[in-house]
Amino acid sequence: MIIVMKADVGEGSAEIPRIIERAHSFPGITTQVHRIQGQTRGLTEIYLLGATGVVPAEVFEEFESVEKVVRVTQKFRAIGRHDALEAASFEYRGVRIAQDTLHVFPGLCAVDTREHQDLTFAALQRAGIKTARAGAYKPRTSPYDFQGLGQACLPWLFESAGKHGIQIVTMEVTHESHIDEIKRARAQSGDATGVMLQIGTRNAQNFELLKAVGQQTELPVLFKRGMGISLEESLNACEYVASGGNRRIVFCLRGVKSHLGEPHRNFVDFAHVSVVQRLTRLPVCVDPSHSVGRRISGADGLLDIFHVTAQGIVTGANMVLVDVHPRPDKALCDGPQALLLEELPGFLEDVAITREAYQKRVAAARART
Ligand code: PEP
Ligand code: MN
């Protein structure tokens, strides 16, 4: 059960301890107070945990400061909308991420050399982009493939990001120890940039790792859906992150494993953007690079990666993760799917065209009702 307080009721309100005391009068009920950033306002919410089925909502609805009482199902308790809650948003390093914003995070799939990193961040800066991807810890299918430079690259990676005005870098972690390595290197860099911890598709059900990123609140989390599990299973896994206390989460679609998607690397699942936005309070990211897996062009001259990105954006995606590389033929991971740095401005132009189309669609739908 979630008790949503009225908009002007802050965490310091005198009614909150009274509501909590009332909640605790029911056997086995415990409470958590969360301050959530909604789309347009800050919200204080009191979560009742335990056997809330027998707790009557009216008891709390009578309080002057309560806006509404929402019964939640067992599923997605913390990330779910439960047909009644508004979307959540968060601001990190001056970047607001929400179900009504859009940010592009281009970058290296795997950081390989300092020169390639500098060239990439410089290209982003020229394009006016402050958000990037950069993989230092790479989960690879074969143990003989490049596993990433690990913590060794973090000092110069963060320094380069800071130098080029990059505010957030999404970076996959494959082991709990990587979280502390990143935090330490970031602190040593003088807080040069922000980091969003990425959970890769292969670790979507690594529950101990999910708990570890969820129990820290310093860094937001980008959770990628599992490639071979249902959407519901992925949402349940993502709930592990939120239930640990970290509510700054973005849910990422990256295609699912099926030969039915061939010749693309994965079957593109961006029809789920609106589904995830409806079922959860989370902003939704799409990763066209790992979905398509190849830098190939359509008959119309647009790359498949552009087309697939457009599919995500035209349906309301809030974030795009896209691989770029200054020399894809030299890349140590996923070179064949990387866009060239020269293609970035065109990609961003295409993104802007599609975002405008999405906004027009929403405005037209509102005008019809
Ligand atoms: C990645 O984004 O670098 C990556 C490995 O993606 P995924 O986990 O979706 O395969
Ligand atoms: Mn990759």
Side-chain angles (χ1 to χ4, degrees), residues 108-110 133 138-140 172 198 202 224 254 265 287 289-290 323 333-335 337:
L108 301 175
C109 174
R133 58 158 294 142
K138 300 303 300 176
R140 301 304 298 277
E172 180 163 356
Q198 186 174 320
R202 292 160 189 80
K224 284 188 149 193
R254 46 81 70 209
R265 181 174 173 183
D287 178 342
S289 303
H290 288 83
D323 289 7
C333 180
D334 286 349
Q337 71 192 28

Side-chain angles (χ1 to χ4, degrees), residues 46-108:
I46 304 172
Y47 281 58
L48 268 58
L49 309 173
T52 54
V54 294
V55 178
E58 305 81 62
V59 170
F60 302 104
E61 282 161 354
E62 280 163 10
F63 282 86
E64 178 62 32
S65 55
V66 169
E67 182 176 295
K68 61 183 164 189
V69 178
V70 179
R71 283 206 181 276
V72 304
T73 49
Q74 285 300 102
K75 278 188 220 163
F76 334 138
R77 276 198 220 177
I79 62 170
R81 281 225 196 201
H82 312 290
D83 295 328
L85 298 172
E86 62 183 86
S89 70
F90 63 90
E91 192 169 315
Y92 180 50
R93 307 263 318 184
V95 181
R96 185 171 166 274
I97 302 183
Q99 285 196 355
D100 62 359
T101 60
L102 173 65
H103 300 282
V104 181
F105 286 61
L108 301 175

Side-chain angles (χ1 to χ4, degrees), residues 114-132 156-169 192-193:
R114 190 170 185 159
E115 189 202 355
H116 290 160
Q117 189 55 79
D118 284 339
L119 287 169
T120 303
F121 283 151
L124 267 57
Q125 187 173 33
R126 280 197 301 279
I129 294 280
K130 293 184 160 53
T131 46
W156 50 260
L157 170 64
F158 293 158
E159 186 201 318
S160 180
K163 197 172 105 194
H164 293 99
I166 302 296
Q167 293 301 326
I168 310 179
V169 176
T193 189

Side-chain angles (χ1 to χ4, degrees), residues 173-176 199-213 223 237 240-241:
V173 288
T174 58
H175 190 273
E176 203 178 319
I199 297 294
T201 194
R202 292 160 189 80
N203 280 308
Q205 285 185 311
N206 181 342
F207 300 117
E208 296 309 316
L209 185 62
L210 298 178
K211 285 184 205 167
V213 297
F223 174 90
Y240 268 89
V241 181

